[in-house]
Amino acid sequence: MYELLAGVTIVEVSAYVAAPLAGMTLAQLGAEVIKIEPPSGGPDAGRWPLAPNGASLFWRELNKAKRLIPLDLRLQADADRFLEILDSAGRVLLTNIPLPASLAERALRQRFPDLILVEIQGRPDGSSAVDYIVQPGTGFPEITGSSTAAGPINTPFPAWDISAGYLTGLTLLAALWRRQRSGEGAYAKIALSDVALAAVCNLGFLAGFATSGAVRPRDGNDVYGAFGRDFECADSKRVMIVAITGRQWRSVVNALNIADEIKNLERTLATDLADEGNRYIHRERLAELMRPWFQQRSLAEIERQLAGSGVAWAPYRSLGDTLKHLASGSDATMILETIEQPDVGSVLSAGIPVVFQNDRRKPLLAAPKPARRPRLAGQRLPRG
């Protein structure tokens, strides 16, 4: 946690991933984020993964560094209390939960003309959608997996939730910056499906198909338009090698000692493999040249020989392997910290993945604490 946003208070009414992530990120930058949830818990209070005692690690991790006020906004007294909190907190609201009519956007903006309200929706028309519903409309599931895969494949990583969460935080800060200069409030809507559509456009995928009609094939782990391939090691471990830039390509050729073989292949194919597109076109021939090098070495041997070589590579790790790797201290990351999660115990957790060199980090906070008086003392949410 940092103190860059010290003095900024944000009220959050949220569930799922994108909005809680936005609030958590702002809290880790120093804002006070007040989380409003029903006394019985929100819709994700018990979401997997769970601790052995059934407590939701999902909920605890996405809501760390926040403060909690349990309110049932359907009750008039709690709705009135919510308005008091929102006003005293500086009239900044982050939400992806439909609010009662008395607390809807129009009513809030009439009451607080300088209100900053950032709302995450599933689709631009306000209809519901979650990441795994947005994914099918992007085209990515059709090109995910190996060439022999049957049917589209969604990724378990909620890319659009994560992207929308960070965009929401940026949007809220932009609105705060403008209000500081002009006193003007803002109402911003961010649709999950629009975040995904913008990414597909910004990466050139839609324009590429529109101009050429070319359909990107399913390539498994191959890197489209360059050379990237996973290889099996002598001990059955797997590694990923990437050569997108010229420097990366030269590093691979030198480290594997295949310069002569590459020159011969270029003469045979009448092509220049210094061009990344040509490396993609001839990726199978390149993989044939490289495969024996990996098959003859264990992962430990590969790690020793590629150290300092400039090769862009990484081993594949399971979650268990990742935990062991982090526990070994061999990773230089500065964002991890062991924290105490209520009813769970010590868990490895992450702060914001930004390191300000001139600012000291404060210790992470675990799951939301009841807000301090005079706002509300309130009980804790159920844990699980």
Side-chain angles (χ1 to χ4, degrees):
M1 292 179 59
Y2 291 102
E3 295 183 335
L4 281 76
L5 295 179
V8 173
T9 303
I10 297 157
V11 177
E12 176 189 323
V13 184
S14 72
Y16 310 115
V17 177
L21 174 64
M24 183 192 73
T25 302
L26 294 167
Q28 291 176 336
L29 285 170
E32 181 177 16
V33 178
I34 300 173
K35 174 91 173 194
I36 305 293
E37 283 198 358
S40 59
D44 52 0
R47 185 149 299 133
W48 290 20
L50 306 177
N53 67 350
S56 172
L57 294 171
F58 174 97
W59 185 86
R60 279 157 178 73
E61 282 297 297
L62 278 176
N63 289 296
K64 59 179 178 272
K66 302 175 187 177
R67 296 203 166 270
L68 170 66
I69 299 181
L71 293 176
D72 185 344
L73 298 181
R74 298 169 298 179
L75 303 178
Q76 188 59 52
D78 281 5
D80 291 343
R81 186 63 179 145
F82 170 79
L83 292 172
E84 293 175 9
I85 293 166
L86 182 60
D87 190 19
S88 65
R91 301 167 304 285
V92 181
L93 176 60
L94 162 64
T95 184
N96 66 337
I97 298 291
L99 300 177
S102 63
L103 302 176
E105 171 264 329
R106 181 173 298 179
L108 288 176
R109 295 182 73 195
Q110 287 178 347
R111 187 182 184 99
F112 306 121
D114 67 343
L115 174 73
I116 291 176
L117 170 56
V118 181
E119 178 182 354
I120 301 176
Q121 301 175 317
R123 303 186 189 279
D125 62 3
S127 59
S128 177
V130 297
D131 192 287
Y132 304 109
I133 297 300
V134 170
Q135 284 191 42
T138 64
F140 287 117
E142 299 292 337
I143 59 176
T144 298
S146 70
S147 58
T148 59
I153 300 175
N154 277 7
T155 172
F157 175 71
W160 312 124
D161 274 332
I162 302 299
S163 301
Y166 287 133
L167 177 61
T168 298
L170 176 63
T171 301
L172 193 148
L173 290 179
L176 274 170
W177 175 249
R178 185 179 68 173
R179 190 175 74 175
Q180 182 177 339
R181 290 179 293 132
S182 69
E184 185 178 356
Y187 174 41
K189 295 193 293 184
I190 298 174
L192 206 60
S193 60
D194 279 349
V195 172
L197 178 60
V200 176
C201 287
N202 294 339
L203 292 172
F205 286 4
L206 280 184
F209 180 80
T211 56
S212 69
V215 178
R216 176 174 168 173
R218 273 184 165 160
D219 285 335
N221 291 329
D222 287 355
V223 175
Y224 182 68
F227 182 79
R229 173 67 64 97
D230 62 305
F231 293 96
E232 186 174 11
C233 312
D235 53 3
S236 299
K237 302 289 187 180
R238 299 195 77 88
V239 298
M240 184 72 187
I241 303 294
V242 172
I244 298 174
T245 68
R247 183 176 181 178
Q248 290 172 346
W249 171 241
R250 291 188 296 272
S251 296
V252 169
V253 172
N254 293 334
L256 274 59
N257 195 25
I258 54 173
D260 291 340
E261 289 86 345
I262 292 298
K263 290 179 181 178
N264 291 336
L265 184 60
E266 287 179 323
R267 285 193 291 267
T268 300
L269 299 174
T271 193
D272 179 10
L273 293 174
D275 179 86
E276 63 187 89
N278 289 336
R279 293 197 292 272
Y280 175 74
I281 293 171
H282 301 291
R283 61 192 181 280
E284 295 298 340
R285 297 291 296 271
L286 291 174
E288 290 176 11
L289 282 178
M290 298 179 188
R291 190 173 292 113
W293 192 91
F294 295 96
Q295 290 176 333
Q296 296 164 12
R297 293 165 174 81
S298 68
L299 176 58
E301 291 172 320
I302 290 171
E303 187 169 9
R304 285 194 298 270
Q305 294 189 30
L306 294 186
S309 66
V311 174
W313 79 283
Y316 282 88
R317 297 191 181 105
S318 66
L319 286 174
D321 291 338
T322 298
L323 192 58
K324 291 178 183 177
H325 175 73
L326 293 172
S328 71
S330 57
D331 197 305
T333 182
M334 297 174 62
I335 70 168
L336 297 179
E337 182 180 329
T338 299
I339 64 175
E340 290 294 320
Q341 284 284 12
D343 293 347
V344 174
S346 297
V347 297
L348 192 64
S349 190
I352 187 170
V354 177
V355 178
F356 290 94
Q357 298 298 326
N358 298 324
D359 292 88
R360 302 188 75 182
R361 284 179 178 259
K362 296 172 61 181
L364 293 177
L365 296 177
K369 313 294 184 184
R372 296 181 294 256
R373 295 182 185 278
R375 293 197 178 94
L376 191 67
Q379 75 270 31
R380 293 178 186 272
L381 290 181
R383 299 178 177 86

